[in-house]
Amino acid sequence: MGGNTLDTLESKSEQSVSTKQQRIATNARNLPNASLCALAHHVDLYWLYEAFLRTRKDGAPGIDNQSAQEYEANLGKNLKNLLELFKSGKYRAPAVRRVYIPKAGSEEKRPIGVPTFEDKVLQRAVLMLLEPIYENEFYSSSYGFRPGKSAHDALEALWKGLMDLKGGWLIDLDISKFFDTLDHGKLRQILKQRVCDGVVTRTIDKWLNAGVMEAGCMSYTERGTPQGGVISPMLSNIYLHEVLDRWFAQVVRPRLKGQAFLIRFADDAVIVCQLKQDAERILGVLPKRFEKYGLRVHPEKTRLVEFRPPSGDERKGTGVFSFLGFKHFWMRSRRKRWVVGRKTDGVRFRRSLKEISKWCRANMHRPVTEQHEMLSRKLRGHYGYYGITFNFSSLKRFRCLVEKVWFGWLLRRSSKTTLNWDRFRDYLRRAPLPFPSVVHSGCVANP
């Protein structure tokens, strides 16, 4: 495939894919209870090229050690070969390479599967087939890994729901090792309700059964979906849509006496009920519902929280809980109203500061200007997620502690005669680290 052909693919791929996705979405809406059989024929070179463009190029390589740049060097030939293998059913999903990263809100490490770059491209292509179907199906209460939705959207919806209900009884739901225990057989059954294209379903099966390479050893499992794969978030959302979202909307909520709502981001979820008896009923049946699909509700981390603002002479609201890295509690606003406050969860705060300290230790002999530039980026990234209304004091405290941590590591490489706190503060006055900013305000801008 020559350069001109690549130019043609680039000019037409997005338009071609968009038109086909609209066609798939229309079919899905017109056939709400049918299983769609004709999907794989939409995948052509335009589709794969668009999938390539949407695939991150800076990720770690898989077991073949091929980088995105190496794959792109012979892109036309590689995409043609990939298309042929996919359509003929001869594609063999390579094993994923296992690595471990820190787990959010915990000192534990989470296993991540790293696919090969070509596998990521094909997973992206299949994801682009599934999205138009399931975006018609998914409820607005689901926010994780969906187009146009984010963790901050989920936090804003939760804040608004709690304020509208004036608090309530909250089920802080924790699914024990969800990504490790997702049942492949149950997932296949759920998928077949809407997708029965043999090429697509067999390819998904190959990814589920691909195996994991760790320390030179291969392992296989009939449960779980490796985090890190492009297709994994979609499969997880499809699974939990059936297990939790649809069940709550169609079975649970119509039977409740008071108001209730659900907010879910991937496998993190909270259910808020106006009445305690409704919350207790849901909490009582949740374990059985999840066991039916091979999942387990964590018996200790899943809890019922009374979350209500103060009344009468009370000075403090009841209940505190954490969701998506933020601690939620009742506080007085500037207008002296009781509102739901949010601040950085303590575990997340300490972990972020620890990561800063580790970086400073590893890079303390670099030029100070380079360290300043990188720490500024890290702080902006921290503000980019944690910069929400009511959390300004936590951001200020984090910046202050970052300065102290940085000074401590700089002091280790210098004698006290060349560096002291006054000189360091003087440098920061001339070249300050970024000041905190509220990046996400949403509906809580004027409480």
Side-chain angles (χ1 to χ4, degrees):
M1 184 182 293
N4 291 335
T5 307
L6 282 176
D7 292 340
T8 303
L9 285 176
E10 187 169 3
S11 64
K12 294 184 178 180
S13 64
E14 185 176 359
Q15 181 180 358
S16 173
V17 169
S18 177
T19 301
K20 290 179 179 180
Q21 286 185 317
Q22 289 175 14
R23 195 177 304 150
I24 295 170
T26 300
N27 289 338
R29 281 193 298 269
N30 293 338
L31 301 168
N33 300 313
S35 187
L36 305 182
C37 299
L39 293 173
H41 75 278
H42 291 293
V43 180
D44 54 17
L45 280 178
Y46 295 112
W47 193 281
L48 284 182
Y49 185 72
E50 184 64 24
F52 165 79
L53 293 178
R54 298 184 188 185
T55 302
R56 284 184 55 182
K57 312 298 188 296
D58 58 349
I63 61 172
D64 63 353
N65 288 319
Q66 185 181 46
S67 67
Q69 292 71 31
E70 291 170 340
Y71 190 83
E72 188 176 7
N74 200 6
L75 182 60
K77 183 179 179 180
N78 287 333
L79 292 182
K80 273 189 172 181
N81 183 60
L82 180 58
L83 180 63
E84 182 181 342
L85 291 174
F86 172 67
K87 289 293 187 72
S88 65
K90 295 179 181 178
Y91 182 77
R92 297 183 63 183
V96 298
R97 182 170 62 85
R98 174 159 286 173
V99 296
Y100 292 87
I101 64 170
K103 188 176 180 180
S106 171
E107 296 298 321
E108 300 177 10
K109 291 199 172 182
R110 186 191 299 275
I112 294 291
V114 182
T116 64
F117 182 77
E118 182 171 73
D119 205 42
K120 292 177 185 177
V121 172
L122 187 56
Q123 287 191 34
R124 176 68 62 183
V126 173
L127 173 65
M128 287 156 53
L129 286 174
L130 298 179
E131 270 186 351
I133 301 170
Y134 285 100
E135 281 303 310
N136 285 314
E137 304 275 319
F138 291 156
Y139 289 95
S140 59
S141 59
S142 170
Y143 290 87
F145 308 107
R146 293 184 59 191
K149 288 179 175 281
S150 69
H152 295 100
D153 293 328
L155 288 164
E156 184 173 340
L158 175 61
W159 189 91
K160 188 175 185 303
L162 288 168
M163 292 297 294
D164 288 345
L165 286 184
K166 296 181 174 57
W169 293 84
L170 181 140
I171 299 173
D172 188 359
L173 176 60
D174 186 279
I175 307 171
S176 183
K177 297 182 178 180
F178 169 69
F179 290 98
D180 297 329
T181 57
L182 184 149
D183 188 290
H184 293 177
K186 297 288 187 183
L187 175 60
R188 292 186 188 99
Q189 292 175 15
I190 295 170
L191 271 171
K192 284 181 180 178
Q193 295 174 14
R194 293 300 275 148
V195 177
C196 63
D197 185 301
V199 175
V200 174
T201 55
R202 282 193 295 270
T203 303
I204 292 174
D205 278 346
K206 291 174 183 178
W207 286 321
L208 293 175
N209 299 319
V212 175
M213 177 72 74
E214 184 175 7
C217 298
M218 283 287 297
S219 61
Y220 299 88
T221 177
E222 295 182 358
R223 305 179 75 86
T225 175
Q227 291 175 268
V230 176
I231 199 70
S232 294
M234 171 59 79
L235 297 180
S236 303
N237 270 336
I238 292 171
Y239 204 80
L240 286 175
H241 169 74
E242 180 67 25
V243 176
L244 182 60
D245 303 353
R246 190 202 299 273
W247 172 72
F248 178 79
Q250 297 184 4
V251 178
V252 175
R253 193 160 53 191
R255 291 172 167 80
L256 301 179
K257 294 184 177 180
Q259 298 181 57
F261 66 91
L262 163 72
I263 300 291
R264 181 176 67 81
F265 188 93
D267 62 329
D268 291 323
V270 291
I271 300 173
V272 181
C273 297
Q274 187 179 31
L275 303 178
K276 181 180 180 181
Q277 64 190 86
D278 286 339
E280 290 176 335
R281 287 177 62 195
I282 296 173
L283 188 60
V285 298
L286 271 175
K288 294 179 181 178
R289 176 65 183 179
F290 278 78
E291 286 172 9
K292 180 180 176 181
Y293 289 88
L295 300 175
R296 180 171 173 264
V297 173
H298 199 293
E300 297 173 359
K301 295 182 180 179
T302 298
R303 61 195 183 106
L304 183 62
V305 180
E306 182 183 3
F307 191 76
R308 292 186 176 279
S311 60
D313 296 331
E314 294 177 345
R315 295 186 176 182
K316 196 173 182 181
T318 58
V320 173
F321 70 95
S322 292
F323 184 62
L324 298 181
F326 291 92
K327 181 179 178 182
H328 294 68
F329 56 96
W330 289 101
M331 60 171 283
R332 288 277 194 186
S333 72
R334 287 174 297 181
R335 299 183 180 183
K336 305 303 179 184
R337 300 173 183 171
W338 285 110
V339 297
V340 179
R342 288 93 58 87
K343 67 179 181 180
T344 309
D345 180 76
V347 174
R348 293 282 192 98
F349 188 99
R350 291 188 293 273
R351 195 188 72 187
S352 297
L353 195 63
K354 185 177 180 181
E355 290 298 317
I356 293 285
S357 180
K358 285 173 62 177
W359 187 91
C360 288
R361 178 182 181 181
N363 296 273
M364 65 179 177
H365 294 295
R366 284 190 176 191
V368 173
T369 53
E370 288 186 17
Q371 294 186 46
H372 180 278
E373 181 181 356
M374 183 55 68
L375 287 173
S376 296
R377 291 181 186 176
K378 290 181 180 292
L379 277 172
R380 291 190 191 99
H382 187 85
Y383 303 156
Y385 185 78
Y386 293 103
I388 67 173
T389 306
F390 304 131
N391 197 35
F392 192 77
S393 59
S394 289
L395 300 181
K396 284 177 59 179
R397 180 167 169 258
F398 187 77
R399 179 180 180 272
C400 179
L401 291 175
V402 167
E403 290 179 350
K404 291 181 179 179
V405 166
W406 187 25
F407 172 72
W409 285 110
L410 288 176
L411 197 62
R412 292 197 177 196
R413 77 173 194 176
S414 309
S415 65
K416 292 185 178 180
T417 57
T418 58
L419 179 68
N420 56 42
W421 182 248
D422 290 336
R423 288 181 180 177
F424 181 68
R425 294 296 297 171
D426 183 59
Y427 170 77
L428 289 180
R429 277 191 289 270
R430 288 182 281 109
L433 290 172
F435 290 96
S437 59
V438 175
V439 181
H440 309 278
S441 56
C443 62
V444 298
N446 298 298

